[in-house]
Amino acid sequence: MTFVQKYLSWAAGALALLIALIFALPGGKVRGFDVAGFGNIPILEGGRVKPLDSVARNSLLVIHSRQGFRYEGRTIGPDEWILDVMFRPQVADQQPIFVIDDPDVIGLIGAQQKQNRNYFSFADLSSHLEEIQKQAQTAQPIAPQKRTRFQSAIVNLFDRVYLYYKLRNTLQLAGSPGLGWELQSISDPEASARHQDLMQLSQFRILPPLPGGSPDAWKNVGESLRAMAAGQGVHPALVPLARLNAAYVANDAASFNQALADMNGVVSTLKPGALSHATNEVVFNRAQPFFVGLSIYFVAFIVLCISWIWKPELLRPTAYSLLFAGAIVHTLGLAARIILQGRPPVTNLYSSAIFVGWGAVILGLIVERMYRKGFGTAVAAVAGFASLIVAQNLGTEGDTMEMMRAVLDSNFWLATHVVTITIGYSGTFLAGAIAIAYAIRKHIVSKVDVETDKALVDMAYGIICFALFFSFVGTVLGGIWADQSWGRFWGWDPKENGALLIVLWNAIILHARWAGYVRERGTMVMAIFGNIITACSWFGVNMLGVGLHSYGFMDQAFYALMGFGLSQLVFMAICYAPPRFWEQKPHHKA
């Protein structure tokens, strides 16, 4: 490769990093309002301090499945949306953000099925809220895996509507004159009931702890108003918050921005460090490193595919540079999560998907550096892209940095057992991906290339050895953790069985190879089957309601898991089929 070609290939990677950096830049003001600054305000929700921006993004993802939407010819971002929900509900109620795809639920609200996605506003649903709640309450006692399609859909809709309703009544009761009016009407005979409603409906606590109190004693607006009515004084953040409310409703951007500055001053005084921590998380949210990473991986794979038919000497290293750039973005995102959460990289299913993809990409970079045939880049790009797509879908369930469950609240074991066994997942999946590439290649390449076939098998073999080591060590560490947590090293829990199956299957592949029971093709078929075993251990017992390691059923996950398993069986059949099965037989002259 010439110097110019090398320069161009790395320039492509640098350009990808530059684009990723642009994502992190702060947005401009909306109608003069410092909406982004409002999103920086730290609050307490779900047991952790986070910026309002995170609440807005996570809530909009849950309700709308996206972090923004088009309305009246422009894009509404999460921070502007939550401002409207809390301060101008009459505006937010008209915005079509509720996705309803189930035809029976659409019929329940008296609407017509649309050709594209069906979006409805809170105003559209308001006259049917009683019936939605009634149907949801009937379905909720039923185990998630036993619900009908309609029951699952109506419970999901009710949960989203209730989340919206709580946000709508967090800082002021919807339909009231506003928070400033509440402060002036503190002695009103009906004020106590309003304060109680605000306490019960509040989605988060926005008022920092007062001096001398517990550092975790954040309050919501209802609690602070009740304390004020009891003669305990006005919380110093209530006044600038009321001014924010009034200025936004009056469309007074200058007063809003000044009140925001005053609010930040109060927060900085009462809770030093909270504002800077929230700002860091907002930068992370805005950068969207994992979305940017999966986009770069996709481009890298496309460039590599083109290199197989045109200018391989230029495009193959370009694809590798793009993969490297994607890995940098992926790594920075992973590191940022570790710092923000104060935890090791794997704490839940979402973070495990990110880490599995990261491990596969790093291994792929190493493999490509060793063999330089493009296959390491291909499988790493596909593995990184696929795992981050899985993470994107898991991220629609809410806050991905939620507080740890009590049984998992151990940084030591999260950093040893969980990380080690997840590296084993990465290796097993990467070996399976290489085997799939081998299977596809056998049937599309016109000439037999013994050297390349052997290189692919060697790659898979080496990675299986790597995966076996980490899977075995991780499983043993998990047994030690279980002994400390539950008083037994092994209990035949489904998750423990899944971990053991991964170890045994990788060991079986190696022994079958060493003993001569399988050759190249057999090794690759077995490596593909390893994908099924690993997916069942990783997702099956976590999401399908089985055992101590089950953290919630998702019917979509069941169908996705079944589809993935079937696809791997198809690839196994393709890999097992001899190349001549697909070859066109020559025509013999009569």
Side-chain angles (χ1 to χ4, degrees), residues 177-244:
L179 184 54
W181 173 79
E182 288 286 3
L183 293 177
Q184 296 171 3
S185 309
I186 198 68
S187 58
D188 189 320
E190 298 179 356
S192 179
R194 296 198 301 272
H195 301 165
Q196 183 66 26
D197 288 342
L198 279 168
M199 287 172 59
Q200 292 180 344
L201 292 172
S202 181
Q203 177 64 19
F204 53 82
R205 290 177 165 83
I206 194 171
L207 305 174
L210 293 171
S214 168
D216 298 322
W218 291 69
K219 290 184 177 181
N220 60 41
V221 169
E223 291 168 338
S224 188
L225 289 173
R226 170 163 287 193
M228 182 179 169
Q232 298 178 22
V234 183
H235 192 289
L238 268 179
V239 174
L241 191 59
R243 287 167 48 210
L244 275 170

Side-chain angles (χ1 to χ4, degrees), residues 278-294:
T279 301
N280 291 337
E281 186 168 331
V282 169
V283 173
F284 172 81
N285 293 342
R286 195 182 298 123
Q288 300 186 70
F290 305 122
F291 174 76
V292 174
L294 74 86

Side-chain angles (χ1 to χ4, degrees), residues 296-308:
I296 296 175
Y297 291 146
F298 178 77
V299 174
F301 181 71
I302 295 300
V303 170
L304 185 69
C305 290
I306 296 173
S307 76
W308 289 332

Side-chain angles (χ1 to χ4, degrees), residues 398-537:
D399 188 6
T400 63
M401 290 191 272
E402 76 271 14
M403 294 297 290
M404 297 297 302
R405 300 168 188 271
V407 71
L408 298 176
D409 195 5
S410 169
N411 276 1
F412 174 77
W413 289 113
L414 288 171
T416 52
H417 159 65
V418 177
V419 169
T420 303
I421 207 160
T422 308
I423 291 173
Y425 289 168
S426 299
T428 308
F429 276 129
L430 185 63
I434 290 173
I436 291 172
Y438 170 92
I440 294 173
R441 183 182 177 281
K442 289 284 284 185
H443 297 293
I444 63 174
V445 175
S446 57
K447 295 181 180 180
V448 176
D449 186 347
V450 177
E451 182 183 348
T452 300
D453 289 347
K454 185 178 183 304
L456 285 170
V457 176
D458 288 345
M459 290 180 203
Y461 173 80
I463 292 170
I464 289 169
C465 293
F466 173 90
L468 173 60
F469 173 78
F470 278 91
S471 298
F472 174 74
V473 172
T475 302
V476 172
L477 290 172
I480 298 173
W481 189 8
D483 184 55
Q484 292 187 2
S485 299
W486 299 318
R488 89 292 189 280
F489 180 84
W490 195 264
W492 299 107
D493 181 80
K495 186 71 170 182
E496 295 169 352
N497 295 340
L500 179 61
L501 280 174
I502 294 172
V503 174
L504 291 176
W505 186 250
N506 283 329
I508 288 169
I509 295 174
L510 297 183
H511 279 79
R513 176 76 173 166
W514 294 337
Y517 294 120
V518 295
R519 297 183 184 276
E520 288 185 356
R521 191 169 54 183
T523 301
M524 296 311 221
V525 169
M526 295 178 75
I528 296 173
F529 189 72
N531 288 346
I532 298 177
I533 294 176
T534 307
C536 288
S537 174

